[in-house]
Amino acid sequence: MIQFKIVTPEGIIYEDEIEKITIPTGAGEITVLPKHIPLITTLVPGQLTIWKKNDDMNQEYKVVMAVSGGVVEVRPQNTVYIMADTAERAEQIDIDRAQIAHKRALELLKEQKDVVDVDFAYIQAKMEKEMTRMRVGKKYKKLKPMD
Amino acid sequence: MALNTRAIKTRIKSVKNTKKITKAMEMVSAAKMRRAVESALNTRTYSVLAQELLEHFGQLEEKHSPYLHVEPVKKILAIVVASNRGLCGSFNSNVFKKAKYAILNKQDIATHHVNSKKNIIPHNNDVSIDMVGIGKKSVLFAKRESQNLIAVYDTISDRPRYEEALPIAQFAMQEFKKNTYQKVVVVYTDYVSSLVQEPKIRQLLPISSVDLEKILREIGADTDQDKKVADEVSSVPIDQFLFEPSLKQIMDTILPRLIETQLYQVILESAASEHSARMVAMKSASDAAGDMIDDLTRTFNKARQAAITQEIAEIAGGAAALE
C-alpha cells in the first residue's frame, strides 16, 4: 500500500491508500509501486492513473485524473505526495468547458503574440492544461461504457 | 428642557445610523472572512508540503540554484503585507509594529544562520532595508518611518488569486538573483483563529531550513508570545533522494514555483486575518454603539421625566398661588 496525497493550491484533491500510481513526469511516464526509492521529479500536464483495491473484495479499480505541472515527491515509507497546479478527476471534467477555455487560450495567444514573455508562457501553459483536460476527459467518457 | 431632549434624540438617531453601518460591515467581513479563511486553510497543506521540500533543498551543501545562494548581507528586501482599507482594528498596526521591530533589529535579521554553529554575519555592519508594500496602508508606514519604499501593490483583491502573487514573487526572485538583495523577508499576519492573528516575519530568500521567527525569539527581545514554532527539519536526508531528470533541472522548475506558493500563502493568510480583524473590530463597534444607545435612551427618559415633573410642579405652584 502507498500513502498517496495530491494537493493543489485549492486544497487536497485526493488522499487515500493505493496500490500503485502512474505519473506523467518530466523524464517520461513512471509507475510507482510500494517500496519505491525516494524520488523528487517534476510533474508535466497529462493523465494520472491511480490503482486502488476495493474495501471488501480484492478487486482493483482505477481512478483517472488530469493534472497540470507541479512536483512529485516520493518519500521513504511508501509515501507519495504530488503538488500540482491543478488536478481534476476525469469524471468531473466538463469537456465543453475545457474546449471553450482551449479556444479562448488559442485566441489570446494569437492576439498577444507580441506581449511580454510571462503572459505568453502563462497562456501557453493554460492551453496545454486545457488540452490535457480534454484528452483525459474524452478518454474517460469513451472508457466508461465498456466497464 | 425641550431643547435638551431634542439634542439627545438627534444623537440617538445618529448613533443608530452608525450602528447600522458597522453591523452591515461586520456581516460583509464575516462573509469575506469565511471565504478567505477557507482558501487560506486549503492552501496550507500545499504550502506546508512546499515548505518541507524547500527545507530539504536548504540542507544541500552544494548550492545548485541561485535561490539557495547565501552571501553576506548588504541589503534586505522586506515585503510588508498590510491592508488596502482601514477600519480593521489593530491589524495594520500589528504588522507595522513587527516591521518596525525588523528595521530596528536588522543586524540580527541580516545574519544568515546556516546551522547552529555557523553564522554568516553581515557585511561591515552596514545593512540597509528596502521595502515593498502590499496594500495601500503600507505606504503610510513607509512614509512615517521614512523607509525606502520601492514598490507598492495595492490591487490585490479581497479574494487573492495565485496570479496576483506572481509579479511580486517574480520581482523578489529577479532582484535576489541580480544580487541587489542578499535576503528577502516577508512581514505578514498569520491566521491562527478568527480572534487570534499573529504578525510574523518569514524569510523568503535565500531558501533556508532555519526559522527566522525562532531565531528572533531566541535573541530574546520578542516577548509577546511563547508559542512554540515547529521547526523540525525533517529526518529524511536530502541525499537519499533520487532526482529525475537532474537535480539542477528540478530546482530550476520547482524552486520558483515553491517561492511563489509561499508568497501566495502569506497573502492569503493576511487576507484571512484582515477580514477577521475587521469583523471583530466592527462587532465591538456595533456592541459599543448598542451600549451608547442604551445609555442615551436612559438619559433621554430621565430628561423627559424631569421636564414633566418640573411642569407639574410649576402648574401646582401656580395653582397654589391662585388660592
Side-chain angles (χ1 to χ4, degrees), chain A residues 3-22:
Chain A
Q3 286 293 337
F4 173 69
K5 204 190 267 181
I6 178 161
V7 291
T8 70
E10 269 85 53
I12 301 170
I13 304 296
Y14 189 91
E15 185 179 14
D16 214 342
E17 290 198 331
I18 57 165
E19 294 299 311
K20 60 177 177 178
I21 176 167
T22 302

Side-chain angles (χ1 to χ4, degrees), chain A residues 34-53:
Chain A
K35 293 185 184 156
H36 197 282
I37 189 174
L39 165 77
I40 294 176
T41 182
T42 51
L43 183 73
V44 294
Q47 175 186 329
L48 191 87
T49 317
I50 300 159
W51 276 270
K52 225 182 99 60
K53 270 210 176 107

Side-chain angles (χ1 to χ4, degrees), chain B residues 117-274:
Chain B
K117 279 164 235 138
K118 207 168 118 206
N119 290 342
I120 296 181
I121 44 171
H123 230 58
N124 55 32
N125 285 346
D126 186 26
V127 186
S128 60
I129 292 189
D130 275 358
M131 220 181 102
V132 164
I134 298 179
K136 285 193 187 98
K137 296 282 167 188
S138 58
V139 182
L140 296 177
F141 172 73
K143 224 181 235 168
R144 196 172 63 213
E145 300 293 327
S146 48
Q147 287 299 311
N148 188 11
L149 186 72
I150 48 171
V152 184
Y153 296 89
D154 59 355
T155 50
I156 306 274
S157 55
D158 281 336
R159 283 182 87 181
R161 283 173 304 118
Y162 194 74
E163 292 85 65
E164 287 176 303
L166 278 183
I168 309 167
Q170 253 144 21
F171 171 78
M173 286 189 275
Q174 201 180 38
E175 293 300 312
F176 183 79
K177 240 191 201 161
K178 274 198 259 164
N179 211 13
T180 322
Y181 304 106
Q182 290 76 34
K183 194 169 227 174
V184 181
V185 296
V186 257
V187 184
Y188 72 108
T189 315
D190 196 32
Y191 177 83
V192 184
S193 73
S194 55
L195 291 173
V196 184
Q197 294 98 33
E198 202 184 328
K200 273 191 173 171
I201 304 177
R202 191 195 268 182
Q203 177 172 335
L204 200 64
L205 287 166
I207 292 156
S208 145
S209 55
V210 187
D211 192 329
L212 197 62
E213 192 69 23
K214 198 176 156 247
I215 290 160
L216 287 177
R217 220 183 313 282
E218 275 168 6
I219 288 164
D222 195 351
T223 48
D224 47 343
Q225 73 278 99
D226 54 334
K227 193 173 152 272
K228 62 175 191 317
V229 178
D231 74 320
E232 319 140 354
V233 176
S234 32
S235 49
V236 192
I238 187 81
D239 41 351
Q240 263 187 25
F241 276 91
L242 194 71
F243 294 96
E244 271 175 7
S246 74
L247 185 56
K248 176 111 186 46
Q249 225 165 324
I250 287 176
M251 291 215 168
D252 287 347
T253 39
I254 290 176
L255 287 188
R257 177 176 272 128
L258 293 188
I259 293 160
E260 285 159 11
T261 317
Q262 295 295 304
L263 194 70
Y264 178 54
Q265 173 70 14
V266 159
I267 291 174
L268 282 181
E269 295 273 345
S270 289
S273 303
E274 182 196 332

Side-chain angles (χ1 to χ4, degrees), chain A:
Chain A
M1 291 292 240
I2 303 172
Q3 286 293 337
F4 173 69
K5 204 190 267 181
I6 178 161
V7 291
T8 70
E10 269 85 53
I12 301 170
I13 304 296
Y14 189 91
E15 185 179 14
D16 214 342
E17 290 198 331
I18 57 165
E19 294 299 311
K20 60 177 177 178
I21 176 167
T22 302
I23 310 166
T25 75
E29 199 166 71
I30 61 164
T31 299
V32 177
L33 290 163
K35 293 185 184 156
H36 197 282
I37 189 174
L39 165 77
I40 294 176
T41 182
T42 51
L43 183 73
V44 294
Q47 175 186 329
L48 191 87
T49 317
I50 300 159
W51 276 270
K52 225 182 99 60
K53 270 210 176 107
N54 260 355
D55 293 333
D56 39 350
M57 299 165 287
N58 268 355
Q59 220 167 34
E60 267 192 359
Y61 68 95
K62 275 203 283 189
V63 178
V64 182
M65 293 178 120
V67 292
S68 52
V71 188
V72 182
E73 196 184 1
V74 183
R75 294 195 183 181
Q77 280 107 39
N78 297 332
T79 315
V80 179
Y81 290 143
I82 294 183
M83 282 174 264
D85 292 348
T86 61
E88 230 173 334
R89 296 277 288 264
E91 56 265 41
Q92 284 163 354
I93 294 174
D94 183 345
I95 293 182
D96 293 339
R97 220 195 61 184
Q99 239 149 9
I100 290 166
H102 177 230
K103 226 180 254 166
R104 175 98 193 98
L106 261 178
E107 275 166 26
L108 275 178
L109 214 53
K110 242 180 237 159
E111 273 171 30
Q112 310 201 345
K113 272 250 157 77
D114 43 7
V115 294
V116 221
D117 291 345
V118 185
D119 287 344
F120 197 74
Y122 172 70
I123 296 167
Q124 211 158 25
K126 189 160 165 61
M127 222 173 77
E128 219 168 294
K129 185 193 127 196
E130 294 300 341
M131 270 163 82
T132 325
R133 286 183 66 212
M134 266 154 57
R135 214 174 51 234
V136 175
K138 275 186 182 158
K139 206 168 162 190
Y140 173 80
K141 291 221 164 120
K142 256 186 227 155
L143 260 175
K144 215 179 169 187
M146 292 202 289
D147 285 346

Side-chain angles (χ1 to χ4, degrees), chain B residues 57 59-65 68 247 251:
Chain B
F57 287 133
Q59 289 171 34
L60 286 174
E61 275 301 317
E62 265 175 275
K63 306 301 182 197
H64 292 271
S65 162
L68 291 168
L247 185 56
M251 291 215 168

